[in-house]
Amino acid sequence: MRTTTPLRRALITVTATAAVVLTATGSAVAVPVCGTATAPHAAALSLSPLHPVVELAAERLATADLVAAAKWGTDSPIDDPAREQQVLDNVAAQAQQLGADPDEIRTIFRDQIEANKVVQRGLFQRWTDHPDEAPTTKPDLTVVRQQINQITGALVQALADSAENRGTFTCRPELALATFQVHYENHLDALHTRALHRALPSICRD
């Protein structure tokens, strides 16, 4: 009996994801899959349908470095409730225009915001412990936020486009595969890997 397409996809995803072991240093140890290809090559052959969502979440997290550098040594706090509420209201309005669930998008972006703060706090701690690594120039926070807004809009669109995938039983393995793919492609360090995982728990509906 032939396996149904969704189930087959889930099994392939789980196999490919399970074939990769991330070491403590963040490097990938490839284990052959079915004796023909290593996990990184296998992952590169077929991108998860949730890859755009995870890629944009990681891109949004990368801006946290710029936000942290802009705030470092100033009175600007990491927590900014007014700015956070503005972001949540904006993404809810965008979701409504796209026919997506505004409440769901709000929940997902609360995680994006908290993940962003994971990076900022981690960098602040690093720079406190190692002052020689602290930034010597300050990005313009207004310009950085314009960049964040562009990524945010693209992420809302990607979430709306992937609504069907995010509601199936294959979502978790697909998300796991996409997370590995993005980690591998972007060579994320431990801090940004931890933050990326913080950004993703509400992507799947279960």
Side-chain angles (χ1 to χ4, degrees):
M1 181 176 177
R2 194 172 182 177
T3 308
T4 59
T5 300
L7 179 56
R8 187 179 180 192
R9 187 189 308 127
L11 292 173
I12 291 172
T13 300
V14 171
T15 301
T17 304
V20 178
V21 179
L22 295 179
T23 67
T25 60
S27 59
V29 178
V31 180
V33 179
C34 301
T36 59
T38 58
H41 294 144
L45 290 175
S46 178
L47 291 179
S48 163
L50 294 178
H51 187 278
V53 170
V54 180
E55 177 62 35
L56 285 164
E59 189 176 342
R60 195 175 189 279
L61 278 175
T63 66
D65 297 53
L66 298 174
V67 174
K71 291 181 177 180
W72 177 252
T74 72
D75 294 331
S76 299
I78 290 176
D79 291 284
D80 188 348
R83 165 68 179 171
E84 293 168 20
Q85 188 60 51
Q86 183 182 43
V87 170
L88 294 174
D89 289 344
N90 287 343
V91 297
Q94 291 174 44
Q96 197 160 25
Q97 291 176 353
L98 294 171
D101 183 343
D103 292 333
E104 179 183 62
I105 299 301
R106 276 180 182 272
T107 299
I108 292 171
F109 270 88
R110 285 192 186 96
D111 287 338
Q112 307 307 304
I113 290 169
E114 291 306 314
N116 193 287
K117 290 191 283 188
V118 167
V119 175
Q120 291 185 56
R121 292 188 183 109
L123 290 176
F124 270 37
Q125 186 61 56
R126 181 185 302 171
W127 297 336
T128 298
D129 295 340
H130 304 281
D132 57 308
E133 297 181 11
T136 56
T137 60
K138 293 192 182 303
D140 185 332
L141 194 53
T142 301
V143 174
V144 174
R145 283 177 171 168
Q146 290 174 353
Q147 180 183 353
I148 295 173
N149 290 342
Q150 291 177 348
I151 299 169
T152 294
L155 180 52
V156 173
Q157 181 69 63
L159 289 166
D161 292 344
S162 63
E164 184 176 348
N165 293 99
R166 294 188 296 103
T168 67
F169 73 95
T170 62
C171 183
R172 290 295 173 189
E174 294 284 11
L175 184 63
L177 177 58
T179 302
F180 164 67
Q181 289 168 335
V182 170
H183 176 279
Y184 180 76
E185 293 159 0
N186 293 278
H187 309 287
L188 300 182
D189 62 12
L191 175 60
H192 290 80
T193 299
R194 185 168 73 250
L196 182 60
H197 283 284
R198 178 63 186 87
L200 302 177
S202 55
I203 297 297
C204 294
R205 296 188 217 100
D206 48 22

